[in-house]
mmCIF file of all heavy atoms in Angstrom:
data_model
loop_
_atom_site.group_PDB
_atom_site.id
_atom_site.type_symbol
_atom_site.label_atom_id
_atom_site.label_comp_id
_atom_site.label_asym_id
_atom_site.label_seq_id
_atom_site.Cartn_x
_atom_site.Cartn_y
_atom_site.Cartn_z
ATOM 1 N N ILE A 192 -2.994 5.764 -10.316
ATOM 2 C CA ILE A 192 -2.276 6.992 -9.959
ATOM 3 C C ILE A 192 -1.826 7.713 -11.239
ATOM 4 O O ILE A 192 -1.999 8.923 -11.384
ATOM 5 C CB ILE A 192 -1.078 6.673 -9.054
ATOM 6 C CG1 ILE A 192 -1.596 6.219 -7.689
ATOM 7 C CG2 ILE A 192 -0.187 7.896 -8.889
ATOM 8 C CD1 ILE A 192 -0.539 6.038 -6.653
ATOM 9 N N ILE A 193 -1.279 6.939 -12.182
ATOM 10 C CA ILE A 193 -0.824 7.562 -13.428
ATOM 11 C C ILE A 193 -2.026 8.083 -14.225
ATOM 12 O O ILE A 193 -1.997 9.180 -14.783
ATOM 13 C CB ILE A 193 -0.002 6.547 -14.260
ATOM 14 C CG1 ILE A 193 1.217 6.102 -13.467
ATOM 15 C CG2 ILE A 193 0.417 7.163 -15.591
ATOM 16 C CD1 ILE A 193 1.991 4.964 -14.097
ATOM 17 N N TYR A 194 -3.097 7.298 -14.220
ATOM 18 C CA TYR A 194 -4.296 7.680 -14.973
ATOM 19 C C TYR A 194 -4.888 8.983 -14.434
ATOM 20 O O TYR A 194 -5.268 9.869 -15.200
ATOM 21 C CB TYR A 194 -5.316 6.544 -14.907
ATOM 22 C CG TYR A 194 -6.617 6.813 -15.613
ATOM 23 C CD1 TYR A 194 -6.635 7.128 -16.976
ATOM 24 C CD2 TYR A 194 -7.825 6.741 -14.944
ATOM 25 C CE1 TYR A 194 -7.825 7.358 -17.623
ATOM 26 C CE2 TYR A 194 -9.023 6.973 -15.594
ATOM 27 C CZ TYR A 194 -9.019 7.284 -16.928
ATOM 28 O OH TYR A 194 -10.204 7.524 -17.575
ATOM 29 N N SER A 195 -4.961 9.115 -13.094
ATOM 30 C CA SER A 195 -5.570 10.349 -12.586
ATOM 31 C C SER A 195 -4.683 11.537 -12.900
ATOM 32 O O SER A 195 -5.191 12.654 -13.054
ATOM 33 C CB SER A 195 -5.901 10.279 -11.100
ATOM 34 O OG SER A 195 -5.060 9.436 -10.425
ATOM 35 N N SER A 196 -3.382 11.312 -13.022
ATOM 36 C CA SER A 196 -2.558 12.462 -13.385
ATOM 37 C C SER A 196 -2.680 12.780 -14.880
ATOM 38 O O SER A 196 -2.569 13.938 -15.289
ATOM 39 C CB SER A 196 -1.134 12.223 -12.889
ATOM 40 O OG SER A 196 -0.220 12.270 -13.897
ATOM 41 N N LEU A 197 -2.980 11.758 -15.705
ATOM 42 C CA LEU A 197 -3.280 12.021 -17.119
ATOM 43 C C LEU A 197 -4.559 12.842 -17.267
ATOM 44 O O LEU A 197 -4.658 13.739 -18.108
ATOM 45 C CB LEU A 197 -3.454 10.703 -17.876
ATOM 46 C CG LEU A 197 -2.199 9.969 -18.337
ATOM 47 C CD1 LEU A 197 -2.544 8.601 -18.863
ATOM 48 C CD2 LEU A 197 -1.483 10.773 -19.408
ATOM 49 N N LEU A 198 -5.551 12.537 -16.425
ATOM 50 C CA LEU A 198 -6.827 13.252 -16.508
ATOM 51 C C LEU A 198 -6.674 14.727 -16.174
ATOM 52 O O LEU A 198 -7.468 15.552 -16.603
ATOM 53 C CB LEU A 198 -7.846 12.634 -15.547
ATOM 54 C CG LEU A 198 -8.428 11.288 -15.938
ATOM 55 C CD1 LEU A 198 -9.439 10.853 -14.911
ATOM 56 C CD2 LEU A 198 -9.057 11.366 -17.312
ATOM 57 N N ALA A 199 -5.633 15.024 -15.381
ATOM 58 C CA ALA A 199 -5.475 16.411 -14.944
ATOM 59 C C ALA A 199 -4.813 17.286 -16.007
ATOM 60 O O ALA A 199 -4.729 18.495 -15.856
ATOM 61 C CB ALA A 199 -4.658 16.443 -13.652
ATOM 62 N N ILE A 200 -4.323 16.665 -17.091
ATOM 63 C CA ILE A 200 -3.721 17.461 -18.164
ATOM 64 C C ILE A 200 -4.845 18.195 -18.897
ATOM 65 O O ILE A 200 -5.787 17.563 -19.372
ATOM 66 C CB ILE A 200 -2.967 16.563 -19.163
ATOM 67 C CG1 ILE A 200 -1.843 15.810 -18.446
ATOM 68 C CG2 ILE A 200 -2.396 17.395 -20.313
ATOM 69 C CD1 ILE A 200 -1.132 14.793 -19.333
ATOM 70 N N PRO A 201 -4.760 19.523 -18.979
ATOM 71 C CA PRO A 201 -5.841 20.257 -19.653
ATOM 72 C C PRO A 201 -5.901 19.884 -21.141
ATOM 73 O O PRO A 201 -4.848 19.775 -21.786
ATOM 74 C CB PRO A 201 -5.448 21.725 -19.478
ATOM 75 C CG PRO A 201 -4.184 21.757 -18.725
ATOM 76 C CD PRO A 201 -3.687 20.379 -18.515
ATOM 77 N N SER A 202 -7.102 19.703 -21.658
ATOM 78 C CA SER A 202 -7.208 19.175 -23.024
ATOM 79 C C SER A 202 -6.739 20.171 -24.088
ATOM 80 O O SER A 202 -6.462 19.784 -25.218
ATOM 81 C CB SER A 202 -8.637 18.712 -23.305
ATOM 82 O OG SER A 202 -9.548 19.611 -22.749
ATOM 83 N N GLU A 203 -6.607 21.470 -23.713
ATOM 84 C CA GLU A 203 -6.122 22.440 -24.706
ATOM 85 C C GLU A 203 -4.731 22.056 -25.210
ATOM 86 O O GLU A 203 -4.360 22.360 -26.348
ATOM 87 C CB GLU A 203 -6.040 23.855 -24.118
ATOM 88 C CG GLU A 203 -7.342 24.433 -23.617
ATOM 89 C CD GLU A 203 -7.640 23.993 -22.201
ATOM 90 O OE1 GLU A 203 -6.891 24.393 -21.294
ATOM 91 O OE2 GLU A 203 -8.610 23.235 -21.993
ATOM 92 N N ILE A 204 -3.953 21.425 -24.308
ATOM 93 C CA ILE A 204 -2.588 21.066 -24.691
ATOM 94 C C ILE A 204 -2.593 20.136 -25.902
ATOM 95 O O ILE A 204 -1.686 20.167 -26.717
ATOM 96 C CB ILE A 204 -1.863 20.423 -23.483
ATOM 97 C CG1 ILE A 204 -1.650 21.484 -22.418
ATOM 98 C CG2 ILE A 204 -0.534 19.804 -23.889
ATOM 99 C CD1 ILE A 204 -0.797 21.049 -21.264
ATOM 100 N N TYR A 205 -3.640 19.333 -26.020
ATOM 101 C CA TYR A 205 -3.686 18.385 -27.128
ATOM 102 C C TYR A 205 -4.082 19.042 -28.457
ATOM 103 O O TYR A 205 -3.796 18.508 -29.520
ATOM 104 C CB TYR A 205 -4.666 17.255 -26.848
ATOM 105 C CG TYR A 205 -4.346 16.484 -25.601
ATOM 106 C CD1 TYR A 205 -5.306 16.291 -24.616
ATOM 107 C CD2 TYR A 205 -3.085 15.942 -25.409
ATOM 108 C CE1 TYR A 205 -5.006 15.586 -23.466
ATOM 109 C CE2 TYR A 205 -2.778 15.240 -24.257
ATOM 110 C CZ TYR A 205 -3.750 15.064 -23.283
ATOM 111 O OH TYR A 205 -3.460 14.380 -22.158
ATOM 112 N N GLU A 206 -4.762 20.190 -28.347
ATOM 113 C CA GLU A 206 -5.323 20.802 -29.556
ATOM 114 C C GLU A 206 -4.250 21.032 -30.625
ATOM 115 O O GLU A 206 -4.394 20.608 -31.775
ATOM 116 C CB GLU A 206 -5.992 22.135 -29.219
ATOM 117 C CG GLU A 206 -7.201 22.017 -28.302
ATOM 118 C CD GLU A 206 -8.281 21.116 -28.870
ATOM 119 O OE1 GLU A 206 -8.454 21.116 -30.106
ATOM 120 O OE2 GLU A 206 -8.948 20.401 -28.090
ATOM 121 N N ALA A 207 -3.165 21.684 -30.219
ATOM 122 C CA ALA A 207 -2.110 22.012 -31.175
ATOM 123 C C ALA A 207 -1.571 20.751 -31.834
ATOM 124 O O ALA A 207 -1.379 20.690 -33.051
ATOM 125 C CB ALA A 207 -0.988 22.761 -30.457
ATOM 126 N N ALA A 208 -1.341 19.732 -30.998
ATOM 127 C CA ALA A 208 -0.799 18.481 -31.525
ATOM 128 C C ALA A 208 -1.765 17.872 -32.535
ATOM 129 O O ALA A 208 -1.364 17.373 -33.583
ATOM 130 C CB ALA A 208 -0.549 17.503 -30.382
ATOM 131 N N ARG A 209 -3.062 17.977 -32.205
ATOM 132 C CA ARG A 209 -4.058 17.389 -33.087
ATOM 133 C C ARG A 209 -4.064 18.125 -34.438
ATOM 134 O O ARG A 209 -4.147 17.515 -35.495
ATOM 135 C CB ARG A 209 -5.436 17.483 -32.435
ATOM 136 C CG ARG A 209 -6.185 16.161 -32.482
ATOM 137 C CD ARG A 209 -7.494 16.271 -31.755
ATOM 138 N NE ARG A 209 -7.460 15.524 -30.496
ATOM 139 C CZ ARG A 209 -7.968 15.963 -29.354
ATOM 140 N NH1 ARG A 209 -8.519 17.146 -29.290
ATOM 141 N NH2 ARG A 209 -7.924 15.204 -28.285
ATOM 142 N N LEU A 210 -3.944 19.463 -34.363
ATOM 143 C CA LEU A 210 -3.913 20.259 -35.593
ATOM 144 C C LEU A 210 -2.695 19.892 -36.444
ATOM 145 O O LEU A 210 -2.750 19.867 -37.660
ATOM 146 C CB LEU A 210 -3.882 21.755 -35.259
ATOM 147 C CG LEU A 210 -5.197 22.307 -34.710
ATOM 148 C CD1 LEU A 210 -5.044 23.776 -34.360
ATOM 149 C CD2 LEU A 210 -6.324 22.105 -35.709
ATOM 150 N N ASP A 211 -1.591 19.569 -35.735
ATOM 151 C CA ASP A 211 -0.395 19.169 -36.468
ATOM 152 C C ASP A 211 -0.498 17.747 -36.994
ATOM 153 O O ASP A 211 0.438 17.242 -37.614
ATOM 154 C CB ASP A 211 0.834 19.266 -35.553
ATOM 155 C CG ASP A 211 1.213 20.711 -35.310
ATOM 156 O OD1 ASP A 211 0.712 21.566 -36.059
ATOM 157 O OD2 ASP A 211 1.985 20.984 -34.382
ATOM 158 N N GLY A 212 -1.600 17.101 -36.683
ATOM 159 C CA GLY A 212 -1.822 15.761 -37.215
ATOM 160 C C GLY A 212 -1.121 14.660 -36.441
ATOM 161 O O GLY A 212 -0.884 13.581 -36.974
#
Side-chain angles (χ1 to χ4, degrees):
Chain A
I192 291 187
I193 299 172
Y194 179 58
S195 29
S196 122
L197 279 171
L198 287 182
I200 300 174
S202 40
E203 300 84 66
I204 292 188
Y205 302 127
E206 296 302 325
R209 228 176 251 138
L210 288 178
D211 287 345

